[in-house]
Amino acid sequence: QRRQKEKNDPQMSLFEMAAPAVLSYEPPMPEMEEWDDTLKLSLEKEVLGLYITGHPLDRHREALEKFTNADTFSIKDISDGAPARIGGIVRTIKHHRTKKGEAMAFITLEDFKGSVEMVVFPDLFALASHLLESQAPVIVQGTLKKEEGSIKLLGFLDQGAKIVSVEDAESTWTASIHINLDITALEPNTLENLKDLLAQHPGPCPSFLHLVDPDKSEVIISLPDSLKVHFGRNLSRSITNLLGHGAFSTNCEPVKHKEPEHNGKKFKKFRNSLTGKTRKSRA
């Protein structure tokens, strides 16, 4: 700023003409490491109000497309009282206390196309408060509430509401796993090793084996209940190490419709029970 002021100053003394370098101020520039993408994007948003070099959700596009059924633009097309699952960044969080002293929050979730508010009621907030403060991308599931021209998600735990990190979406909403084996290149002990591997990760997720003879046929075998798995990063990594990249795929659990029951009344009851001042913070 000082250098710019000197440059634009129309008055110059004889001394300035003789020795301009003496008065020009060159601030020293410290040696700094390049900012990582997360920090750079957060500062772009803070200073400019928008992202320039990218978006925090860019590397999660595939997961968001797979595990959500809406975004902040298309959510308006979902019926009132129906479930919705969207992903984004928690941009703001407003903390509240009910008259019973229970903590809850109103969050603003932002994605590529806009933002939407979600009411995180005490039972869900108790489980997910650490995710709301982490600045990490999340996927949320709640019941849609349309009221007086506004749209929001209601996060009632007993109505199936969830808040999970994007990294945990696959382990939360994977409905089935399908493992592909080329029988023309199958090693003698591969099936036995695969069986042992699946048995080490018991869970509710059905497993299917696809025996493929390239250009000829494919046989799909539903594996027994004893080989149902809990799918997550550990199992994903282990199968890849055993069979190679692209050896399996997963199907996403659909967003299940639940009757709204008395959600509207519950929302009004909670809204009327809020007390005290709102404490707002950046997520």
Side-chain angles (χ1 to χ4, degrees):
Q1 288 174 336
R2 178 173 173 178
R3 182 171 178 83
Q4 190 67 29
K5 184 178 179 181
E6 292 175 1
K7 181 180 178 180
N8 295 331
D9 189 350
Q11 297 186 13
M12 295 182 63
S13 67
L14 291 176
F15 181 76
E16 289 174 324
M17 294 177 65
V22 175
L23 294 181
S24 294
Y25 177 67
E26 292 283 359
M29 295 295 177
E31 292 292 332
M32 297 179 64
E33 294 290 333
E34 181 73 17
W35 290 335
D36 61 45
D37 290 340
T38 301
L39 176 59
K40 181 166 58 177
L41 290 171
S42 68
L43 292 176
E44 287 176 359
K45 182 69 173 181
E46 179 180 342
V47 175
L48 304 174
L50 70 161
Y51 300 109
I52 298 296
T53 58
H55 194 284
L57 297 175
D58 280 338
R59 65 189 184 94
H60 301 293
R61 285 182 184 271
E62 184 177 347
L64 294 179
E65 290 176 1
K66 182 175 182 179
F67 293 105
T68 65
N69 72 331
D71 54 40
T72 56
F73 179 77
S74 64
I75 196 172
K76 68 180 186 298
D77 299 324
I78 297 178
S79 302
D80 182 38
R85 189 189 298 161
I86 68 174
I89 303 288
V90 179
R91 184 55 56 199
T92 63
I93 177 170
K94 302 176 184 178
H95 296 272
H96 288 275
R97 289 275 177 184
T98 67
K99 290 182 179 179
K100 294 181 180 180
E102 298 173 310
M104 60 177 292
F106 283 47
I107 67 171
T108 301
L109 192 73
E110 182 180 277
D111 65 6
F112 296 107
K113 298 182 179 180
S115 61
V116 68
E117 185 179 63
M118 181 176 186
V119 187
V120 185
F121 292 103
D123 48 4
L124 180 60
F125 184 80
L127 296 176
S129 59
H130 64 290
L131 293 173
L132 303 181
E133 303 284 359
S134 69
Q135 295 188 339
V138 295
I139 294 179
V140 306
Q141 180 171 304
T143 303
L144 197 65
K145 179 64 178 176
K146 295 182 177 181
E147 186 180 58
E148 299 176 357
S150 67
I151 297 177
K152 56 173 62 69
L153 286 169
L154 304 183
F156 291 109
L157 189 63
D158 62 354
Q159 294 295 314
K162 285 185 175 68
I163 299 176
V164 303
S165 67
V166 173
E167 286 78 7
D168 291 331
E170 195 148 38
S171 61
T172 302
W173 286 301
T174 292
S176 60
I177 177 172
H178 297 256
I179 303 170
N180 303 305
L181 291 177
D182 183 347
I183 61 174
T184 63
L186 200 61
E187 297 291 335
N189 59 345
T190 299
L191 287 176
E192 192 66 32
N193 291 339
L194 179 60
K195 177 184 176 182
D196 293 341
L197 178 58
L198 296 178
Q200 293 170 16
H201 297 81
C205 181
S207 304
F208 296 86
L209 199 61
H210 294 241
L211 301 179
V212 181
D213 188 349
D215 302 323
K216 290 185 179 180
S217 63
E218 177 180 348
V219 176
I220 303 175
I221 301 174
S222 177
L223 298 182
D225 289 348
S226 60
L227 293 181
K228 285 186 175 181
V229 298
H230 173 76
F231 189 80
R233 280 170 285 184
N234 289 337
L235 180 56
S236 173
R237 189 180 305 112
S238 298
I239 295 177
T240 299
N241 290 338
L242 177 64
L243 302 177
H245 290 282
F248 71 92
S249 61
T250 59
N251 288 338
C252 173
E253 175 185 313
V255 183
K256 297 177 181 178
H257 179 78
K258 290 191 175 183
E259 293 299 327
E261 296 178 355
H262 51 287
N263 276 350
K265 293 181 180 179
K266 287 177 70 174
F267 175 55
K268 291 180 181 178
K269 180 179 178 181
F270 268 101
R271 185 171 56 188
N272 294 334
S273 71
L274 298 180
T275 183
K277 295 181 178 181
T278 298
R279 179 168 61 88
K280 181 177 179 180
S281 64
R282 292 183 60 214

